[in-house]
Amino acid sequence: MNELHLPSGYTITGRWSGKKFIIIQIIGRGGIGEVYRAYNPEQKEEVAVKIGRNLSSMTKEYECLKMLKGISAVPEVYCLDDCKIQNKTFYFFSMEFIKGQNLKFLMANYNFKLKEALYMTLLVAALLNRLHSFGYVYCDLKPENVVYNRENRQIKLIDFGGIVEKGKGVKEFTPCFDRASWKMGSRWADEKYDVFSLTMFLYVLLNGKSVLPGDKNKLVTMINGLKKATPQTKELLKKGFFQKYNDTTEFFCDLKRLINKQSRKSVLKKKANGDMVLNMVFLFSLVLTSVFFVMALKKLGMI
Amino acid sequence: MHILKQYGYPKAEEVLIVEKDFEVKQIVLVTDGHSNTGGDPCAAAANAEKNGVIVNAIGIASPNSKGIEEVEQIALAGGGCHQIVELEELASSMIMLTQSSIQGTIEGIVNKQLRQIMGKDIENIPPNDRCQIIDLIDRLQDEVNLKVVILIDTSGSMADKLLVAKESILSLFKSLETRKGKNLIAVMGFPGRNGRTSYTISGFTDDLESLKQNLEGLRAEGATPTALAIRDSLNFISDEPKGGLLLKEQII
Ligand SMILES: Nc1ncnc2c1ncn2[C@@H]1O[C@H](COP(=O)(O)OP(=O)(O)OP(=O)(O)O)[C@@H](O)[C@H]1O
């Protein structure tokens, strides 16, 4: 509605702080505004600047990020300010520029293996658990909002515009990840709301793309149709969708158990493979010695 | 420190208030084409705004939708917002527009009061002092009563979209339900039958079950008299006697 399209090199100057940010390029566009990669000449560092027309949602997202400062998976925020562009007032805040790619982007170019999808989900579960313990529900979990950095193998959540206190109504959601759109519950924000989205997150990673919401039956068909999932994974998805987990901790523990089991299994497999190699070596040497034996006997003129 | 304290008002909630029986009134127009009969929809929307009713407009994009840009003009005239969306985004769009109209209304009221007290509105208060006022706006937004008419184009071309439209209205209800304030939702369709411009699909209600039941009456056919339909919903939203909750209009 109010797209800015700031060109690279454009400088925004904060009305109150006087701080300057030189635009490098746009990195995303969403419901409430645009996100740019920018350079702060004063601090000599690259930052991300989120800018939009809505005073209240920009302020609230900034305040929320400020409050969650210290959680490593949350981007650090720096400054909140306004600026005038083409005679209109825009509101913005600057934050840590996060390296890496969001999972939706990754998904388009890469097929997640079961183990990887489970591991990603575990990382996000731990993070949501942390938010919940502060009394908040994230509400808008989806692959787009999770950024993975290959270098340090860390994930970060971005877009805190939808976060609300437990017991409030959900403000922002994406139908595929919203339990109410699936007729699986209300839009009151509780931990279970996030657990549903988290389950869908795992499903979408395994499925390779998101889906349009339907009803209970569709959920069951979806799970059954997943080729990559083991029976235990399907069980976890079912429990997650049907809200059998009371909170993220329960989901987290189940998932962790599943991952442990899976990796133990693959260790066993490796061991079995190792045994096979040993057997082969043993057999081979057996054949070799017998050949030698036969040859020796021949030489001795016994055959 | 609290910004209003500097002006001798220790508590923001004592000076920034919304009258008890105030309600935000809005019409959310949903269409997939342009008005082709019955006058100028923008004039009708402007008239609604003059009467304290915001008009939002959603255009559903589809290969055969013509003149859908009209929704922008309608929303502009009606003091509301517009969006052109894919069918799957209809629910999110309805929710977004409804919520932002509530927010806009409350912000307007609060800004007027701030100007009286401080001589400036929220935009001209330093960013780090805005926080408390925004919290208050948030709370008022949650508590204010809401009356909304979903005015839905049921002309022939909408036939294959009505199922999703129905689900979207129920989805809107689920979001509004988490508000503290009272929500009354009505659904009107246009064109009406037998020469009428519009018809009531569901009268104002705050009950999910009766809304669900009434939405079974959503059917499609005919031309698109957007202007007359906006006029009708304005009359409907204004005439409704206070307190009359489950007033069920006859379904034509
Ligand atoms: N701190 C950051 N560092 C790097 N990239 C970021 C950062 N914040 C956001 N982005 C990028 O910008 C995109 C849009 O950001 P974000 O989701 O916050 O916008 P939004 O307007 O709230 O969108 P939505 O409509 O999804 O809520 C993201 O997908 C991400 O790729």
Side-chain angles (χ1 to χ4, degrees):
Chain A
M1 249 181 282
N2 280 296
E3 291 186 5
L4 262 172
H5 298 289
L6 295 179
S8 97
Y10 187 94
T11 305
I12 42 181
T13 310
R15 170 186 174 192
W16 305 89
S17 66
K19 287 207 169 79
K20 287 189 189 328
F21 299 93
I22 305 167
I23 298 296
I24 299 172
Q25 68 181 129
I26 188 155
I27 39 182
R29 185 172 282 133
I32 68 160
E34 296 174 350
V35 182
Y36 289 90
R37 184 172 180 171
Y39 181 73
N40 175 354
E42 198 184 325
Q43 305 283 327
K44 294 198 172 45
E45 64 177 356
E46 272 188 19
V47 294
V49 172
K50 189 163 183 172
I51 183 164
R53 292 278 287 151
N54 192 313
L55 179 146
S56 144
S57 49
M58 278 306 155
T59 312
K60 278 191 290 197
E61 187 168 354
Y62 171 82
E63 291 296 332
C64 171
L65 286 166
K66 210 170 76 178
M67 186 188 55
L68 299 170
K69 215 171 185 155
I71 301 183
S72 68
V74 176
E76 192 176 339
V77 276
Y78 308 127
C79 108
L80 172 71
D81 212 329
D82 320 340
C83 64
K84 270 229 157 69
I85 298 171
Q86 289 152 7
N87 258 331
K88 283 187 193 150
T89 306
F90 283 82
Y91 306 93
F92 70 88
F93 60 84
S94 62
M95 61 183 148
E96 167 190 4
F97 177 76
I98 296 168
K99 288 204 192 97
Q101 274 141 348
N102 77 50
L103 292 191
K104 186 179 178 183
F105 180 85
L106 272 183
M107 238 166 46
N109 302 290
Y110 177 76
N111 235 327
F112 279 97
K113 296 196 186 75
L114 174 64
K115 210 169 107 186
E116 293 163 335
L118 292 175
Y119 183 67
M120 289 282 177
T121 311
L122 189 76
L123 290 179
V124 179
L127 233 164
L128 291 180
N129 209 0
R130 193 82 194 273
L131 287 183
H132 293 162
S133 69
F134 280 93
Y136 290 90
V137 182
Y138 182 72
C139 298
D140 201 11
L141 179 69
K142 52 181 170 180
E144 278 144 287
N145 287 343
V146 180
V147 174
Y148 180 67
N149 185 337
R150 280 179 220 236
E151 283 162 36
N152 56 16
R153 307 185 77 205
Q154 268 186 0
I155 59 156
K156 296 225 186 209
L157 274 183
I158 48 167
D159 193 358
F160 284 73
I163 196 170
V164 293
E165 281 167 53
K166 279 182 198 168
K168 292 265 171 69
V170 173
K171 279 189 306 184
E172 265 175 42
F173 65 87
T174 306
C176 170
F177 302 85
D178 165 53
R179 69 172 177 203
S181 299
W182 288 90
K183 302 188 186 70
M184 295 299 292
S186 71
R187 273 201 198 111
W188 290 103
D190 53 18
E191 286 196 33
K192 285 172 144 189
Y193 186 89
D194 273 351
V195 174
F196 183 91
S197 316
L198 189 59
T199 312
M200 190 57 80
F201 173 83
L202 172 59
Y203 173 82
V204 169
L205 288 190
L206 291 173
N207 185 49
K209 56 175 193 285
S210 65
V211 289
L212 288 179
D215 56 7
K216 267 183 201 170
N217 297 333
K218 181 165 177 182
L219 287 172
V220 176
T221 325
M222 276 161 44
I223 297 175
N224 291 337
L226 262 189
K227 286 193 196 76
K228 277 187 210 161
T230 56
Q232 289 97 325
T233 312
K234 287 184 179 173
E235 193 53 40
L236 179 100
L237 288 170
K238 209 171 278 169
K239 276 171 84 175
F241 282 148
F242 290 93
Q243 324 235 351
K244 296 287 188 277
Y245 297 110
N246 290 311
D247 51 35
T248 23
T249 317
E250 284 183 25
F251 181 92
F252 180 86
C253 292
D254 240 22
L255 180 58
K256 196 153 179 218
R257 220 172 297 135
L258 200 136
I259 291 176
N260 284 342
K261 231 184 242 162
Q262 216 115 25
S263 55
R264 219 177 303 136
K265 232 193 243 159
S266 63
V267 166
L268 277 177
K269 234 193 216 159
K270 261 192 206 130
K271 222 170 145 196
N273 283 343
D275 287 351
M276 198 138 97
V277 171
L278 272 182
N279 287 342
M280 296 279 273
V281 170
F282 180 69
L283 235 107
F284 190 67
S285 52
L286 209 72
V287 172
L288 222 65
T289 25
S290 34
V291 168
F292 262 121
F293 193 64
V294 172
M295 268 163 55
L297 287 177
K298 241 185 181 171
K299 234 185 182 165
L300 287 172
M302 290 182 80
I303 303 177
Chain B
M1 197 186 67
H2 200 306
I3 181 80
L4 289 169
K5 242 186 201 163
Q6 299 168 15
Y7 291 80
Y9 300 100
K11 285 192 176 145
E13 55 271 28
E14 282 172 8
V15 279
L16 304 175
I17 42 170
V18 171
E19 285 164 51
K20 241 196 160 58
D21 55 357
F22 178 80
E23 50 190 9
V24 176
K25 289 182 188 163
Q26 52 176 316
I27 295 169
V28 180
L29 169 71
V30 179
T31 179
D32 70 342
H34 66 119
S35 153
N36 49 22
T37 165
D40 177 15
C42 294
N47 186 43
E49 203 221 352
K50 225 173 57 204
N51 285 285
V53 179
I54 300 164
V55 182
N56 293 306
I58 303 175
I60 301 174
S62 66
N64 53 0
S65 55
K66 261 189 283 167
I68 204 165
E69 308 76 36
E70 191 182 64
V71 294
E72 182 172 358
Q73 301 305 320
I74 296 176
L76 205 64
C81 296
H82 83 284
Q83 265 189 330
I84 294 178
V85 298
E86 300 291 322
L87 188 58
E88 302 89 71
E89 300 162 326
L90 181 58
S92 308
S93 177
M94 274 185 184
I95 294 165
M96 214 275 276
L97 293 185
T98 313
Q99 301 279 30
S100 68
S101 295
I102 302 174
Q103 186 184 27
T105 309
I106 299 295
E107 257 172 30
I109 294 172
V110 166
N111 266 333
K112 205 167 141 197
Q113 291 166 343
L114 281 175
R115 275 194 295 269
Q116 280 166 4
I117 302 165
M118 313 174 47
K120 56 183 166 193
D121 52 21
I122 188 157
E123 203 184 301
N124 292 311
I125 293 172
N128 292 317
D129 294 334
R130 289 174 190 157
C131 185
Q132 250 144 334
I133 297 171
I134 285 170
D135 282 349
L136 190 84
I137 291 177
D138 237 24
R139 217 195 62 213
L140 292 173
Q141 214 177 304
D142 192 50
E143 288 173 357
V144 74
N145 296 328
L146 169 72
K147 210 166 162 188
V148 53
V149 175
I150 311 292
L151 175 57
I152 183 162
D153 176 349
T154 54
S155 62
S157 61
M158 283 289 290
D160 54 346
K161 306 183 184 81
L162 288 184
L163 203 67
V164 175
K166 205 186 293 182
E167 290 298 332
S168 303
I169 294 168
L170 294 174
S171 187
L172 169 67
F173 187 97
K174 280 190 179 169
S175 272
L176 294 178
E177 162 185 80
T178 63
R179 291 172 10 93
K180 267 214 197 75
K182 190 150 61 174
N183 304 298
L184 292 176
I185 303 184
V187 182
M188 291 177 78
F190 70 100
R193 258 138 259 208
N194 308 328
R196 294 192 200 214
T197 46
S198 63
Y199 63 108
T200 310
I201 295 159
S202 176
F204 283 105
T205 179
D206 63 352
D207 178 59
L208 180 62
E209 284 314 312
S210 58
L211 180 64
K212 247 187 214 164
Q213 220 166 43
N214 296 340
L215 281 177
E216 296 303 319
L218 208 49
R219 279 168 279 118
E221 74 185 270
T224 315
T226 312
L228 298 172
I230 291 179
R231 188 205 60 200
D232 287 354
S233 10
L234 171 61
N235 290 337
F236 191 46
I237 203 167
S238 310
D239 287 344
E240 181 81 4
K242 278 228 165 78
L245 266 191
L246 283 163
L247 179 106
K248 201 169 152 188
E249 296 263 312
Q250 98 244 37
I251 297 172
I252 308 164

